[in-house]
Amino acid sequence: MNEQIEKIIKNIEKVMIGKREIAELSIVSLLAGGHVLLEDVPGVGKTMMVRALSKSLGTTFKRIQFTPDLLPSDVIGVSVYNPKTLQFEFRPGPIVGNIVLADEINRTSPKTQSALLESMEEASVTVDGETIQLPKPFFVMATQNPIEYEGTYPLPEAQLDRFLLKIKMGYPSKEEEIEVLRRAESTLPIDQIEAVITLEQLIELQQQVKQVHVEDNIKEYIVSLAQTTRHNDKVYLGVSPRASIALMKAAQAYALMNGRAFVIPDDVQYLTKFVFGHRLILRPEARYEGVTEEGVIESVLRYVPVPVKRFVQQ
């Protein structure tokens, strides 16, 4: 594994016990220039994961606690009149940062949720007709609770599509939970970790991801997977071309993480469920029959032939 990325993961593991895969996927999204939606029940460490990642990087960290009364201006910022200069000055909101935690994103109104759309897609915000670029890198990790629907606003498809990956934390094993108690007995581990890479090193890693080679047969494989979801009789709405691009970028980042300068089919197969899962809309009758997005993706992966290319050394 890439040495710098391994340092970040090991730093996160000081706080998050048994969540290496979640840490790896979060870093994949960060390196690919995407965003992550963490979904699971309360108390499994969603917010702590984001905090651990942000503290491991030499970047600025902002947190937005989404509530029903939150306004778009509370997220983006406002223009305030300065009587000394006789001009309006922009006061940035918490969205202006490198790592942004959007905590319980489904608890705020659709109007406020939409305030994130431009920033997540364009890395900019518009205030009073003026476009303001956000700092680079810009990475949003949002959390939501899928169990408690009272007083929540489900994310629209357009918003879900802005997230490169959707990840579920899951409960720890008995041994892992005992270790969590042991580490938290006297002090919180999150207070002990420090940054292990600089902002410049992180930006360099993101540039290296763009140089990872993707063979034409791998691109054809990704497109075949996407198109197969559109013709599945269990699926009402398949994934879009944006999902194909997202899967390719995620595969590039995953390849770099594993010390390779090229993408292999295994990268694509592993990441497909995390990239496609939240972009599929199943037919109501399919859900009634117990069909899940994960099940559809597994069937798609079995159906589409895996590309095989033999390289003969001259």
Side-chain angles (χ1 to χ4, degrees), residues 16 19 21-23 25-27 35-42 44-53 100-106 139-146 155 160 163-170 274 278:
M16 304 301 299
K19 301 298 181 185
E21 182 183 43
I22 308 300
L25 290 169
S26 300
I27 295 170
H35 309 283
V36 169
L37 178 61
L38 284 174
E39 182 181 80
D40 220 312
V41 296
V44 293
K46 300 187 297 295
T47 303
M48 191 62 68
M49 169 60 73
V50 187
R51 290 182 60 197
L53 176 62
V100 178
L101 166 60
D103 214 359
E104 295 190 283
I105 189 174
N106 58 334
F139 178 57
V140 174
M141 287 190 77
T143 70
Q144 71 173 3
N145 173 14
L155 292 176
L160 282 173
F163 290 100
L164 185 75
L165 306 176
K166 181 181 177 181
I167 310 171
K168 295 183 179 180
M169 296 287 291
F274 301 109
H278 58 292

Side-chain angles (χ1 to χ4, degrees), residues 59 97-98 123 133-138 199 202-203 206-207 210:
T59 59
N98 294 124
Q133 294 298 318
L134 296 174
K136 294 182 180 180
F138 174 69
L199 178 62
L202 177 57
I203 293 174
Q206 288 184 322
Q207 294 303 317
K210 298 176 182 178

Side-chain angles (χ1 to χ4, degrees), residues 156-207:
E157 298 306 319
Q159 182 85 30
L160 282 173
D161 204 28
R162 296 307 196 275
F163 290 100
L164 185 75
L165 306 176
K166 181 181 177 181
I167 310 171
K168 295 183 179 180
M169 296 287 291
Y171 284 114
S173 66
K174 182 177 180 180
E175 292 74 18
E176 290 168 350
E177 195 163 355
I178 291 172
E179 180 62 24
V180 170
L181 297 183
R182 187 177 291 117
R183 294 190 184 187
E185 185 175 2
S186 57
T187 182
L188 290 177
I190 189 69
D191 298 329
Q192 309 300 319
I193 66 172
E194 297 179 353
V196 292
I197 70 169
T198 64
L199 178 62
E200 291 72 22
Q201 290 173 320
L202 177 57
I203 293 174
E204 176 60 27
L205 285 172
Q206 288 184 322
Q207 294 303 317

Side-chain angles (χ1 to χ4, degrees), residues 5-74:
I5 297 174
E6 181 66 26
K7 285 182 180 178
I8 301 172
I9 294 173
K10 286 185 176 179
N11 211 39
I12 294 174
E13 287 184 314
K14 295 177 182 178
V15 178
M16 304 301 299
I17 312 298
K19 301 298 181 185
R20 183 181 178 89
E21 182 183 43
I22 308 300
E24 289 181 355
L25 290 169
S26 300
I27 295 170
V28 162
S29 185
L30 172 62
L31 296 181
H35 309 283
V36 169
L37 178 61
L38 284 174
E39 182 181 80
D40 220 312
V41 296
V44 293
K46 300 187 297 295
T47 303
M48 191 62 68
M49 169 60 73
V50 187
R51 290 182 60 197
L53 176 62
S54 66
K55 291 197 72 173
S56 300
L57 309 172
T59 59
T60 59
F61 171 67
K62 299 292 180 68
R63 175 175 178 172
I64 309 171
Q65 184 66 51
F66 283 88
T67 55
D69 60 346
L70 197 72
L71 299 174
S73 57
D74 296 328

Side-chain angles (χ1 to χ4, degrees), residues 3 19 23 26 33 40 81 100 113 208 220 229 232 240 264 295 314:
E3 184 179 347
K19 301 298 181 185
S26 300
D40 220 312
Y81 182 73
V100 178
Q113 289 174 4
Q208 290 177 23
E220 184 178 346
T229 67
N232 191 297
S240 66
I264 61 175
Q314 301 294 334

